[in-house]
Amino acid sequence: MMIKYDYIIIGAGLFGSVFAHEATKRGKKCLVVDKRNHIGGNVFSDEIEGINVHKYGPHIFHTSNQRVWDYINQFVEFSRFTYMPIANYNGELYNLPFNMNTFNKMWGTITPDEARLKIEEHRASHKTDAPANLEEQAINLVGVDIYEKLIKGYTQKQWGRLCVDLPAFIIKRLPVRFTYDNNYFNDKYQGIPIGGYTKMVERMFDGVEVRLGVDYLANKQNLDALAKKVIYSGAIDAFFDYRFGELEYRSLQFENEILDTDNYQGVAVMNYTDSETLYTRIIEHKHFEFGTQEKTVISREYPMPWSRGDEPYYPVNDDKNNVLYGKYRELAALESNVIFGGRLGEYRYYDMDQVIESALQLAESELL
Ligand code: UDP
């Protein structure tokens, strides 16, 4: 077989699309393959009833990285959407992230000093100097009341394990603020691509050959023979046929419903933070784009254990898995013709902007 491409890129998600775009722009010939029958990876959006449905869970683009923001804005315009999810704890509603509105609802505090004092009281008996797990970290940050009502149930459902068995860094993704500001993110820029994520990725793939429904690992030899180099954004343990065993992932399932109402819950995302409700959140997609359609589409998100063949969504970056990942990383370093990247290729809880930044960095070092 003839080498026809400079790069074969495995995965049509954000990592693959940014790299493919950059390589094509610099005159390289790329072939992108994805085993799914659509582009975009987990940012894929599908239009249902005129509404862009986030098929793999809510994706809100946010970044403080100027270069990433400028980059992504070449392809699509972003709306002014600001993520302000509501937490529903057995019918009691709280603002997220943890801010003065949350504290007021929880304790009736009005001033930042009052709120700080309350948190101090609530963590006094539990405070640890060096939080070793998510539970200790959460209590240190916001005290026991908020931990019990807004964190514990949600987190244990999402990750399928106890908060004492989870790494502390996960909860540090959420801001704690002593202002009346319900914006979930601290980043400078935020929004949703107008017209949907799929449109954005389509534009990145302008002029790039993309083959969908192609399972790279099942056809590795033939596909490798087509290109000089492989950019692989699939799961790293799968690439090596799970030689050292499986890395752990968390999976999700979505139950989608079209409803005959124009507004079901009044907010894009409502988190169910109790431990009895089986789903973690309900997404009402039209609110991401201030939609005025007559109907609405909602998705209930159910966390799921992952086993081979399921979609991996979240890497479980605890010590045990990070050590195992280190072993795969060593194998990866020996593959001189393959570059691993993205959330699955690097087994990292990357946000979208971080994926784009790392693909841009790769493009710079690789495409001289
Ligand atoms: N979290 C929580 N309660 C909530 C929302 C989030 O305790 O209502 C915790 C949970 O542990 C979660 C982490 O915060 O894993 C990070 O949440 P984020 O919204 O960043 O997760 P993602 O959007 O990636 O699913």
Side-chain angles (χ1 to χ4, degrees):
M1 222 179 293
M2 282 249 300
I3 294 189
K4 277 178 60 189
Y5 302 93
D6 293 296
Y7 294 98
I8 178 163
I9 297 165
I10 318 309
L14 274 185
F15 191 84
S17 55
V18 171
F19 186 84
H21 182 82
E22 289 306 295
T24 307
K25 202 170 80 187
R26 290 167 173 81
K28 305 289 184 195
K29 210 157 162 12
C30 298
L31 171 65
V32 178
V33 299
D34 198 299
K35 70 176 167 197
R36 290 177 177 166
N37 60 8
H38 60 73
I39 59 166
N42 280 6
V43 310
F44 173 65
S45 58
D46 194 16
E47 201 186 303
I48 302 174
E49 298 289 338
I51 298 164
N52 291 311
V53 173
H54 297 204
K55 271 306 191 50
Y56 299 91
H59 282 77
I60 300 94
F61 196 87
H62 59 97
T63 191
S64 295
N65 183 326
Q66 188 71 47
R67 137 161 126 148
V68 167
W69 183 245
D70 292 342
Y71 185 79
I72 207 78
N73 272 272
Q74 304 171 65
F75 302 106
V76 73
E77 198 185 336
F78 278 74
S79 73
R80 64 150 187 86
F81 179 81
T82 303
Y83 192 38
M84 294 185 284
I86 299 287
N88 183 331
Y89 177 74
N90 297 323
E92 284 173 39
L93 302 191
Y94 293 91
N95 288 109
L96 291 172
F98 314 116
N99 74 81
M100 291 299 294
N101 291 306
T102 328
F103 308 143
N104 174 267
K105 182 83 186 260
M106 191 72 69
W107 303 307
T109 53
I110 306 276
T111 67
D113 280 348
E114 286 169 15
R116 283 204 177 88
L117 207 66
K118 269 284 177 207
I119 291 179
E120 206 45 63
E121 264 172 50
H122 282 268
R123 71 177 170 195
S125 53
H126 293 76
K127 197 168 185 309
T128 24
D129 286 336
N133 57 55
L134 196 151
E135 176 170 296
E136 290 178 9
Q137 179 70 64
I139 292 173
N140 263 14
L141 284 172
V142 287
V144 177
D145 278 7
I146 291 185
Y147 169 68
E148 292 286 343
K149 288 190 170 179
L150 304 184
I151 298 175
K152 191 177 177 182
Y154 186 95
T155 301
Q156 293 187 169
K157 284 191 292 187
Q158 176 170 355
W159 294 98
R161 60 187 70 195
L162 299 174
C163 288
V164 289
D165 295 326
L166 281 164
F169 84 89
I170 294 176
I171 200 66
K172 286 206 257 173
R173 289 169 58 84
L174 272 64
V176 178
R177 267 194 215 116
F178 293 90
T179 52
Y180 287 94
D181 178 1
N182 294 327
N183 182 353
Y184 202 68
F185 302 113
N186 282 328
D187 283 319
K188 189 166 169 191
Y189 303 112
Q190 179 172 178
I192 301 283
I194 296 174
Y197 281 94
T198 302
K199 186 169 111 186
M200 177 182 95
V201 178
E202 252 164 35
R203 294 199 172 149
M204 292 160 95
F205 279 140
D206 211 13
V208 181
E209 186 179 340
V210 181
R211 293 190 203 162
L212 297 173
V214 175
D215 184 343
Y216 167 73
L217 293 177
N219 298 283
K220 192 169 177 307
Q221 261 192 338
N222 290 341
L223 291 169
D224 282 349
L226 296 177
K228 292 183 198 151
K229 227 164 171 178
V230 180
I231 307 290
Y232 179 82
S233 70
I236 189 168
D237 53 351
F239 183 93
F240 294 108
D241 203 18
Y242 306 99
R243 194 176 309 174
F244 302 130
E246 289 166 4
L247 288 162
E248 278 178 277
Y249 301 90
R250 201 65 186 144
S251 194
L252 299 173
Q253 257 173 30
F254 294 92
E255 186 181 271
N256 302 318
E257 237 186 292
I258 301 170
L259 300 176
D260 223 349
T261 169
D262 66 343
N263 189 1
Y264 172 71
Q265 62 181 12
V267 67
V269 177
M270 191 172 285
N271 289 357
Y272 287 77
T273 58
D274 64 289
S275 41
E276 288 76 38
T277 309
L278 292 178
Y279 44 84
T280 44
R281 47 191 176 185
I282 299 183
I283 302 138
E284 187 172 12
H285 301 269
K286 69 190 307 180
H287 294 308
F288 287 121
E289 300 185 50
F290 314 102
T292 53
Q293 299 85 352
E294 277 174 18
K295 294 192 180 184
T296 196
V297 181
I298 62 162
S299 306
R300 294 183 192 84
E301 179 175 320
Y302 295 86
M304 289 285 159
W306 175 87
S307 56
R308 276 185 220 190
D310 297 336
E311 296 291 354
Y313 283 80
Y314 297 96
V316 181
N317 286 119
D318 59 8
D319 293 343
K320 186 181 111 207
N321 284 290
N322 287 340
V323 168
L324 183 55
Y325 170 66
K327 291 175 70 179
Y328 281 115
R329 198 55 251 150
E330 283 171 20
L331 283 187
L334 302 175
E335 297 278 334
S336 54
N337 260 347
V338 187
I339 296 171
F340 294 77
R343 200 186 254 211
L344 300 176
E346 290 181 59
Y347 197 65
R348 266 184 66 184
Y349 193 174
Y350 269 139
D351 285 332
M352 289 183 276
D353 62 329
Q354 296 171 313
V355 170
I356 293 170
E357 173 62 31
S358 82
L360 288 175
Q361 281 180 16
L362 174 65
E364 270 171 6
S365 62
E366 175 70 17
L367 304 162
L368 299 170

